Amino acid sequence: MAGLYIHIPFCTNKCFYCDFYSGNQLYLLDAYVEALIRELKLRKSYLGSEAIQTIYFGGGTPSLLSSSQLYNILQAVHSIFVVESNCEVTIECNPENINEDYVNYLYNSGINRISLGIQFLDDKVLKDYNRKHDKELIYNALDVINNSSFSNLSVDLIYAVPGISDHFLTWTLKQLLVFDIQHISAYSLTIAKNSQLYWKIKKGEFVETKETSFLSQYQIINEYLTTSGFIQYEISNYAKDGFFSRHNLGYWNQTRYLGIGVSAHSYNLSSRQWNHTNIKKYIRDLSGVSPNIDLTIEELSDNQIYNEYIILKLRLLDGISIDFVKNTFRKDIYDHFLKAITRLGERNYFNFSGDLVIPKPGDLLVADYLSQFLMI
């Protein structure tokens, strides 16, 4: 399996909690799409002979792409790479960009999964965090998608937010599940140092939520969704059977993927590569007769690859494979892993089933703590 990530680093405005790189120079979109296509051609050998099984348009706000821009990118992908017939093709969308014509075009272009950035159902909180839609636009977007040919819809929620009570969070989940939603990603509010929210908290304009709110609301989401037919397959991700995000599982299971666009990351099992974070430089570098890509490359040691395997697998409920660790890494790494996992098992962490070490639901909340014992 190989994945393709296409980064669209444009937003009409910056949400206060976001620290991802993005710009609002929408007049550069056409030139950026042309640069994306040139990078696709230059990096066609990165995945070797592997066929692409997942494509993900992330951002930023990919739903700012016009139908023609999206068409040009997808045509280039199919002309350059071998794409599996059952490829999962996801696009992140904001509710304010959703209408019947656009959704129909997305579906007819070959996109088969929408990830809708809802975040909150409270108009005041949406405004406070600089989101450019309200509750009615969210309901409208969900209606439009549900009445379209799409049958794979994911929504994003943020919890542990000042102003969102436990009662209101429960009401939010109840309102959302009136719609036909197959996947929900629920993230606690994170105070990133590069975000506007961080500085607003420093100035006293916002108050950071208490840890007790995180624990309470995590449990509300977990219990509500799991009793409503959703499976928690990763610490922040819930899906109905058959609707796990194949693209994200590719990241978490450390399969090859190619990232295209400003700030996008790639991984080929032995090294990581990432593009710089400057839209104008990216366009300029890929223009002219000698286009080039300004990449940073990090060769990974065995220890780093092992540590990443542990960190990622502790977020998933499908388990760590003892045989995989034994057959993939050096003997001293395997010996360290076996001692640590035995010690944690004696402290009543994990379930053990044959070759697998399976995190208990409660282990997910302390994944970072447990990883310290297993990492080298």
Side-chain angles (χ1 to χ4, degrees):
M1 171 181 171
L4 175 63
Y5 175 81
I6 300 171
H7 191 60
I8 310 299
F10 294 92
C11 291
T12 55
N13 61 284
K14 192 83 167 179
C15 301
F16 290 158
Y17 50 79
C18 179
D19 70 333
F20 294 155
Y21 174 77
S22 65
N24 62 0
Q25 313 100 309
L26 301 188
Y27 67 92
L28 293 173
L29 255 173
D30 279 332
Y32 183 78
V33 168
E34 291 176 7
L36 281 177
I37 292 170
R38 293 191 190 102
E39 186 184 358
L40 283 166
K41 293 175 181 176
L42 286 174
R43 303 188 70 191
K44 63 182 180 181
S45 63
Y46 184 80
L47 298 174
S49 60
E50 288 198 53
I52 291 176
Q53 295 187 343
T54 66
I55 301 170
Y56 194 101
F57 287 87
T61 311
S63 52
L64 290 173
L65 289 170
S66 68
S67 56
S68 60
Q69 289 165 343
L70 192 58
Y71 173 83
N72 290 338
I73 296 170
L74 287 169
Q75 283 292 103
V77 170
H78 283 271
S79 68
I80 295 166
F81 299 95
V82 175
V83 179
E84 293 283 355
S85 59
N86 66 340
C87 183
E88 176 193 87
V89 188
T90 303
I91 185 169
E92 293 178 352
C93 296
N94 278 358
E96 63 267 28
N97 303 134
I98 293 295
N99 59 61
E100 185 177 345
D101 288 342
Y102 191 68
V103 167
N104 288 339
Y105 178 79
L106 294 179
Y107 184 80
N108 292 330
S109 70
I111 291 172
N112 50 37
R113 185 173 184 268
I114 288 178
S115 177
L116 189 66
I118 289 175
Q119 317 312 359
F120 324 105
L121 273 185
D122 182 280
D123 285 342
K124 181 180 184 303
V125 175
L126 286 164
K127 184 177 181 180
D128 285 346
Y129 287 88
N130 208 31
R131 298 290 289 172
K132 290 303 177 186
H133 57 260
D134 59 18
K135 183 172 59 179
E136 289 308 311
L137 277 176
I138 292 172
Y139 289 151
N140 176 72
L142 290 168
D143 271 330
V144 169
I145 296 168
N146 275 181
N147 289 324
S148 73
S149 298
F150 276 94
S151 59
N152 194 349
L153 170 62
S154 176
V155 301
D156 284 359
L157 286 179
I158 299 177
Y159 65 96
V161 178
I164 300 292
S165 66
D166 290 0
H167 175 76
F168 189 84
L169 178 63
T170 302
W171 177 86
T172 296
L173 294 169
K174 184 177 180 179
Q175 293 298 305
L176 288 178
L177 293 192
V178 169
F179 298 92
D180 190 17
I181 295 169
Q182 288 74 41
H183 186 285
I184 295 179
S185 297
Y187 305 103
S188 64
L189 182 67
T190 301
I191 315 300
K193 279 198 172 182
N194 291 328
S195 68
Q196 294 181 54
L197 180 59
Y198 174 82
W199 296 110
K200 287 180 177 294
I201 289 173
K202 285 286 186 182
K203 294 176 184 177
E205 297 176 16
F206 278 74
V207 177
E208 192 171 357
T209 191
K210 297 178 180 178
E211 185 177 353
T212 52
S213 175
F214 160 75
L215 293 172
S216 171
Q217 297 200 353
Y218 174 86
Q219 292 295 339
I220 288 170
I221 290 170
N222 188 280
E223 291 175 12
Y224 198 98
L225 293 181
T226 54
T227 57
S228 298
F230 287 79
I231 301 166
Q232 184 188 28
Y233 69 102
E234 194 268 347
I235 188 170
S236 301
N237 286 274
Y238 301 79
K240 293 178 181 177
D241 192 23
F243 290 95
F244 295 179
S245 169
R246 288 163 52 197
H247 187 82
N248 286 342
L249 282 172
Y251 293 151
W252 299 324
N253 288 317
Q254 295 178 295
T255 57
R256 289 181 178 87
Y257 58 87
L258 171 62
I260 298 294
V262 167
S263 78
H265 285 235
S266 304
Y267 176 63
N268 65 357
L269 306 185
S270 62
S271 69
R272 296 200 180 279
Q273 302 182 6
W274 57 93
N275 293 351
H276 62 81
T277 56
N278 186 302
I279 294 173
K280 289 185 176 179
K281 173 176 165 52
Y282 177 78
I283 293 170
R284 188 169 59 249
D285 287 350
L286 284 157
S287 300
V289 294
S290 301
N292 67 89
I293 312 161
D294 185 2
L295 291 168
T296 301
I297 301 174
E298 178 189 14
E299 298 293 336
L300 300 175
S301 67
D302 285 349
N303 286 10
Q304 287 176 301
I305 295 172
Y306 163 78
N307 287 342
E308 289 190 8
Y309 174 77
I310 293 300
I311 291 170
L312 292 169
K313 282 296 188 180
L314 284 180
R315 295 180 61 88
L316 296 167
L317 285 177
D318 63 351
I320 300 171
S321 168
I322 296 173
D323 285 345
F324 178 84
V325 176
K326 181 178 181 180
N327 296 328
T328 304
F329 301 104
R330 300 188 314 266
K331 184 178 184 301
D332 61 301
I333 293 177
Y334 172 68
D335 290 343
H336 165 81
F337 165 79
L338 207 57
K339 288 179 182 178
I341 210 71
T342 300
R343 187 163 60 249
L344 289 170
E346 291 170 348
R347 294 170 59 181
N348 205 32
Y349 291 109
F350 307 117
N351 290 318
F352 295 82
S353 177
D355 165 57
L356 296 177
V357 180
I358 303 171
K360 298 176 181 178
D363 296 336
L364 296 178
L365 283 172
V366 290
D368 290 343
Y369 167 76
L370 296 176
S371 68
Q372 297 175 32
F373 295 94
L374 294 169
M375 290 167 58
I376 294 177

